[in-house]
Amino acid sequence: MTKHRYRYRTTVVCAALSALSLLAVPATSAAATAPTSSAEAPSSAHPADGIRAHAVAGIEDRTARTLAASLGRPAWRTEIRNAALASPAVTLGSLVDKPGSPAAESLKSAIADADRDLARAKGLRAGTGSLLQLRLGDSSMRRALGAGAEPLVAAAPSDDDTTAVTAYDSRGRTHLLDMRKIPERPVYVIDLDGDKAVAAGMAVLREQFAAHGLTGPATAPAAATANGFWTSRISSVRLSDDEEPWVKGDAEIYSLVTGFGLDGKVRVDPVDMPYLDEDGKTYSPNQILVNWSSYKYNLADVVMMEEDGSTNYRALATAIAGVLLTIADLGAYIPLVNAVLDAMPDDWWTDDPDYVDSWYTLAQSLSGSSGGARGNGSMTLEPYWVSGF
């Protein structure tokens, strides 16, 4: 299946935001060198401290090499093959820890270390659980795998400009595979469980935005919302088609809704969109995008992003807060899309997070189709009244 990935760096073009051009983007805590295993990091370190966001690729590649070497054990090789044929994706932690699993203890330890390192690298809570998963690179590989062909193991690449991916066999040899041509030999892809990572990431973003003062009062005074509140609901959403390599999996999309809260400060609300897997397909989620009872004005902006593997959610929240907290309510609505994008360090645009599209000044009364500013997405929104009990 295809994924929608775009890398885009913007400048502030709205006159209302011209004053922001002198603002400095704060350094994030994700700038240190990553340890090779969880044991090397201080036990007192914060989950986002001391590890660069792009360490995710290294962790996945390390796991791919280790798993490939383990395929020399026939019983374990059969166990993985059966699991890969039975499910589109298998959580590695659950597979190696299954009662009676023929996985070696050294492999169990290596995968447990990798899962802990991933949670740290992505700024997630320690109790997030296993994030590594295994899947076949393409469904067309099922026949060869079922017939007993020896599989290769590769880590899902984080760089979309890469033309080849490195795969490993059980003897430790490397194989360069064309990312645009599906290989005849089956390939196990080691990847991040994107849905689980985004869900955990949204919790971290909400927690961090609240800590930075970017959420404010949850709703308007009780008297004004006793009977319910107005929202904007997504009746349909579609991303434009973008052909991607066979080794990539489904997209994991989320949006950041921004506006001015009831306290007059900039507000950011993360919205997970786990159903939005493929480009060129229309989804009808009936999902609430904006809760207008939390906003001062009847206008809000939306920045749609994709979890592409290496996003450090704690660092993302810190970077965004560092810019948005400097924007004052001047008594009229100011578009915030450009400020959100400009808050992200330059090097994030060469890896993660990926910018999909954005919508400026969505009104509470908007009903109908609205195309994104980049022309990569389209949403049909409708006003929706949520009644109180």
Side-chain angles (χ1 to χ4, degrees):
M1 285 183 265
T2 60
K3 294 184 73 176
H4 193 97
R5 292 181 170 83
Y6 289 93
R7 292 188 164 78
Y8 183 62
R9 185 73 170 131
T10 65
T11 57
V12 179
V13 295
C14 296
L17 288 177
S18 60
L20 295 176
S21 60
L22 298 179
L23 294 175
V25 177
T28 70
S29 61
T33 301
T36 57
S37 70
S38 60
E40 297 179 35
S43 58
S44 61
H46 191 278
D49 291 342
I51 297 184
R52 292 182 62 85
H54 66 245
V56 170
I59 296 168
E60 292 177 347
D61 184 73
R62 185 181 76 209
T63 304
R65 293 196 309 269
T66 302
L67 186 67
S70 76
L71 297 180
R73 299 165 57 95
W76 172 237
R77 185 170 63 246
T78 300
E79 181 87 0
I80 292 185
R81 181 188 65 202
N82 293 341
L85 290 173
S87 176
V90 184
T91 302
L92 278 179
S94 300
L95 186 61
V96 298
D97 290 334
K98 187 172 66 175
S101 170
E105 290 301 320
S106 59
L107 179 62
K108 295 180 182 180
S109 177
I111 291 176
D113 285 347
D115 277 327
R116 284 193 293 269
D117 286 353
L118 276 176
R120 290 165 57 83
K122 295 186 67 59
L124 302 178
R125 297 167 180 167
T128 299
S130 184
L131 289 169
L132 281 171
Q133 64 179 12
L134 174 146
R135 56 179 172 80
L136 270 177
D138 189 81
S139 59
S140 64
M141 300 174 179
R142 294 176 58 85
R143 181 183 295 273
L145 183 65
E150 182 182 355
L152 300 172
V153 185
S158 60
D159 186 354
D160 292 337
D161 296 327
T162 300
T163 58
V165 60
T166 301
Y168 305 94
D169 63 26
S170 60
R171 297 172 183 82
R173 297 174 299 192
T174 60
H175 304 256
L176 281 181
L177 305 178
D178 189 335
M179 287 183 64
R180 297 292 173 178
K181 181 180 179 181
I182 300 175
E184 295 181 2
R185 190 170 178 177
V187 181
Y188 292 144
V189 177
I190 302 301
D191 204 354
L192 186 75
D193 185 337
D195 288 340
K196 187 173 185 178
V198 170
M202 294 301 98
V204 170
L205 287 181
R206 293 186 187 99
E207 174 187 88
Q208 291 301 304
F209 287 148
H212 286 291
L214 288 176
T215 53
T219 58
T225 60
N227 296 321
F229 53 90
W230 280 106
T231 69
S232 285
R233 185 171 69 172
I234 305 172
S235 57
S236 70
V237 58
R238 180 184 180 91
L239 300 181
S240 59
D241 187 36
D242 179 32
E243 188 172 346
E244 289 287 348
W246 59 269
V247 74
K248 300 286 189 179
D250 289 340
E252 291 84 30
I253 301 294
Y254 63 95
S255 290
L256 300 177
V257 179
T258 64
F260 287 89
L262 301 174
D263 56 0
K265 297 179 181 178
V266 173
R267 179 184 180 93
V268 185
D269 289 302
V271 178
D272 191 2
M273 308 175 85
Y275 52 87
L276 197 50
D277 292 332
E278 301 180 53
D279 296 340
K281 180 177 179 180
T282 300
Y283 295 85
S284 302
N286 288 325
Q287 180 185 26
I288 290 177
L289 181 66
V290 187
N291 176 353
W292 292 106
S293 68
S294 299
Y295 289 86
K296 176 179 179 180
Y297 299 105
N298 70 339
L299 296 173
D301 293 349
V302 175
V303 178
M304 186 179 287
M305 310 292 290
E306 179 189 358
E307 155 67 63
D308 202 10
S310 301
T311 308
N312 183 304
Y313 289 96
R314 188 174 296 272
L316 175 62
T318 300
I320 291 174
V323 168
L324 294 190
L325 286 173
T326 67
I327 301 176
D329 178 13
L330 302 179
Y333 187 75
I334 300 173
L336 300 170
V337 168
N338 295 40
V340 171
L341 297 180
D342 284 345
M344 298 177 189
D346 289 337
D347 62 333
W348 285 33
W349 298 101
T350 62
D351 193 0
D352 281 314
D354 275 346
Y355 170 49
V356 177
D357 214 328
S358 52
W359 285 259
Y360 291 78
T361 56
L362 294 177
Q364 177 181 337
S365 59
L366 176 64
S367 180
S369 179
S370 177
R374 289 278 291 158
N376 300 326
S378 177
M379 291 190 292
T380 300
L381 299 173
E382 60 181 3
Y384 183 73
W385 175 257
V386 178
S387 300
F389 288 110

